[in-house]
């Protein structure tokens, strides 16, 4: 297992290098620059700023310099947030995004697996049709529509919850952002669980367990649930990384100072190093979560072996 893990991590290095190269040259190919503001700078000042940040060098030298900084764990200085490095900004925004995104994925996993299993056990009944209808609705309605609706109902009309902001980080401030993030994931996970559970319940080993007289609950929890979760686990890898780092709309609507807002502001302001830092961080999370998914396969399915 350790050898497999090391081999996967080493194999991810070329993928990350390609990602870094594409992001580096694409963001510099976009019109505008980090010092193009409404109030134009004097040519001498702009030239000095470009020299300080090495933007006057050829692109290949800038790229090599950036790679050298990454090898030392340095994402470089932010062009717009002059008093902060990109590493400091990521470390400031990531815990907030991790808390909200992690809670959203835990909620989505708990509700989605439960609801999907119930729908599979009641296949082609009203319960099944109702669950799938709600799931399709959750998939069809985007976050930027659902989140304002939740704010309008629970914050404006009923006054039960705050409309935005983190405040002191209390539970009440987290409820609406977490639910808004979790709803689409609940829909996806419930549909995946239902389809996989139906297939597993028709398997030969489930028929054998029933023929031996085992209770249905024991069959479901001990024999059917683990193999039925394999497609869900495959989905959770990239989905978790996307929810944790890419909840841009939710962070904007609820005024949450997370990683997504930094990414949007960096893209709008042509803050090259900030955008690159978030992209590299996101790509690393994708690699790590996909590795964890593959390792979880060995626990869920005894037939999976990693030499």
């Amino acid at each position: 297992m350790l050898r497999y893990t090391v081999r996967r991590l080493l194999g991810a290095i070329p993928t990350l290098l390609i990602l870094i190269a594409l992001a580096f040259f694409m963001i510099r190919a976009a019109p505008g620059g980090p010092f193009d503001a409404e109030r134009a700078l004097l040519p001498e000042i702009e030239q000095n700023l470009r020299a300080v940040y090495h933007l006057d060098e050829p692109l290949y030298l800038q790229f090599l310099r950036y790679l050298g900084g990454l090898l030392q764990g340095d994402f470089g200085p932010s062009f717009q947030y002059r008093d902060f490095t990109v590493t400091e900004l990521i470390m400031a925004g990531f815990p907030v995004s991790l808390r909200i995104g992690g809670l959203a994925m835990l909620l989505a996993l708990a509700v989605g697996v439960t609801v999907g299993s119930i729908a599979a056990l009641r296949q082609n009944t009203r319960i099944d049709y109702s669950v799938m209808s709600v799931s399709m609705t959750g998939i069809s309605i985007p976050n930027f529509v659902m989140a304002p609706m939740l704010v309008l109902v629970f914050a404006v009309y009923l006054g039960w919850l705050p409309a935005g902001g983190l405040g002191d980080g209390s539970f009440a401030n987290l409820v609406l952002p977490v639910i808004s993030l979790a709803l689409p994931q609940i829909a996806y996970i419930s549909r995946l669980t239902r389809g996989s559970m139906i297939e597993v319940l028709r398997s030969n080993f489930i028929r054998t367990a029933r023929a031996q007289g085992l209770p249905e609950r024991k069959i479901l929890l001990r024999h059917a649930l683990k193999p039925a979760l394999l497609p869900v686990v495959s989905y959770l890898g990239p989905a978790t990384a996307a929810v944790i780092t890419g909840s841009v709309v939710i962070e904007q609507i609820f005024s949450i100072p997370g990683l997504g807002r930094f990414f949007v502001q960096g893209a709008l302001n042509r803050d090259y190093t900030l955008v690159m830092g978030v992209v590299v961080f996101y790509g690393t999370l994708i690699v790590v979560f996909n590795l964890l998914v593959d390792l979880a396969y060995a626990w869920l399915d005894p037939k999976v072996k990693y030499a």
Side-chain angles (χ1 to χ4, degrees), residues 5-301:
T5 303
V6 173
R7 187 167 66 247
R8 281 289 304 271
L9 292 176
L10 292 177
I13 293 177
T15 303
L16 289 176
L17 285 176
I18 295 174
L19 173 66
I20 293 169
L22 289 175
F24 184 90
F25 291 107
M26 285 178 65
I27 191 173
R28 281 164 172 75
F35 308 118
D36 296 344
E38 294 181 2
R39 183 177 180 181
L41 298 174
L42 294 175
E44 297 82 3
I45 297 177
E46 183 174 353
Q47 184 176 358
N48 291 336
L49 286 173
R50 293 180 64 86
V52 167
Y53 293 109
H54 306 286
L55 296 178
D56 56 343
E57 297 177 352
L59 277 181
Y60 74 93
L61 286 180
Q62 296 182 43
F63 181 66
L64 294 177
R65 187 184 297 277
Y66 186 76
L67 287 180
L70 285 182
L71 293 177
Q72 302 175 23
D74 182 16
F75 288 102
S78 172
F79 296 156
Q80 298 296 326
Y81 301 92
R82 304 292 172 82
D83 297 329
F84 299 93
T85 64
V86 173
T87 303
E88 292 173 341
L89 293 175
I90 291 177
M91 291 300 102
F94 179 63
V96 178
S97 297
L98 177 63
R99 185 180 182 186
I100 295 175
L103 290 174
M105 290 307 298
L106 288 176
L107 177 63
L109 184 61
V111 176
V113 171
T114 302
V115 171
S117 299
I118 293 174
L121 293 172
R122 302 291 187 270
Q123 186 183 5
N124 296 330
T125 64
R126 291 183 179 180
I127 295 177
D128 183 20
Y129 295 145
S130 300
V131 169
M132 290 302 98
S133 299
V134 173
S135 298
M136 285 303 301
T137 304
I139 294 173
S140 304
I141 300 178
N143 278 335
F144 60 83
V145 175
M146 183 61 68
M149 288 175 60
L150 293 176
V151 171
L152 187 64
V153 173
F154 293 101
V156 178
Y157 290 157
L158 299 177
W160 291 352
L161 297 168
L166 278 183
D168 56 355
S170 63
F171 176 77
N173 293 91
L174 298 176
V175 172
L176 289 182
V178 168
I179 292 178
S180 300
L181 269 178
L183 285 177
Q185 306 305 323
I186 291 174
Y188 284 113
I189 292 174
S190 63
R191 290 183 64 83
L192 286 173
T193 303
R194 175 189 177 274
S196 180
M197 183 65 74
I198 289 174
E199 183 178 353
V200 170
L201 291 176
R202 294 174 178 173
S203 302
N204 291 331
F205 68 93
I206 297 296
R207 295 194 186 98
T208 303
R210 285 172 174 163
Q212 292 175 348
L214 294 178
E216 192 69 22
R217 180 179 179 183
K218 190 174 183 180
I219 293 174
L220 178 65
L221 296 178
R222 180 172 295 184
H223 299 285
L225 187 58
K226 280 187 177 181
L229 285 178
L230 289 176
V232 177
V233 171
S234 298
Y235 171 77
L236 284 180
T240 303
V243 168
I244 289 176
T245 61
S247 55
V248 177
V249 175
I250 299 301
E251 291 177 4
Q252 291 286 343
I253 291 175
F254 292 100
S255 300
I256 297 173
L259 200 58
R261 293 190 69 186
F262 284 132
F263 181 76
V264 172
Q265 293 300 321
L268 293 176
N269 296 325
R270 298 295 187 271
D271 195 340
Y272 297 156
T273 51
L274 181 55
V275 174
M276 285 294 303
V278 176
V279 169
V280 174
F281 189 72
Y282 176 55
T284 304
L285 282 182
I286 288 287
V287 171
V288 171
F289 280 121
N290 282 339
L291 174 60
L292 293 177
V293 165
D294 289 344
L295 295 179
Y297 262 59
W299 175 70
L300 292 172
D301 189 354

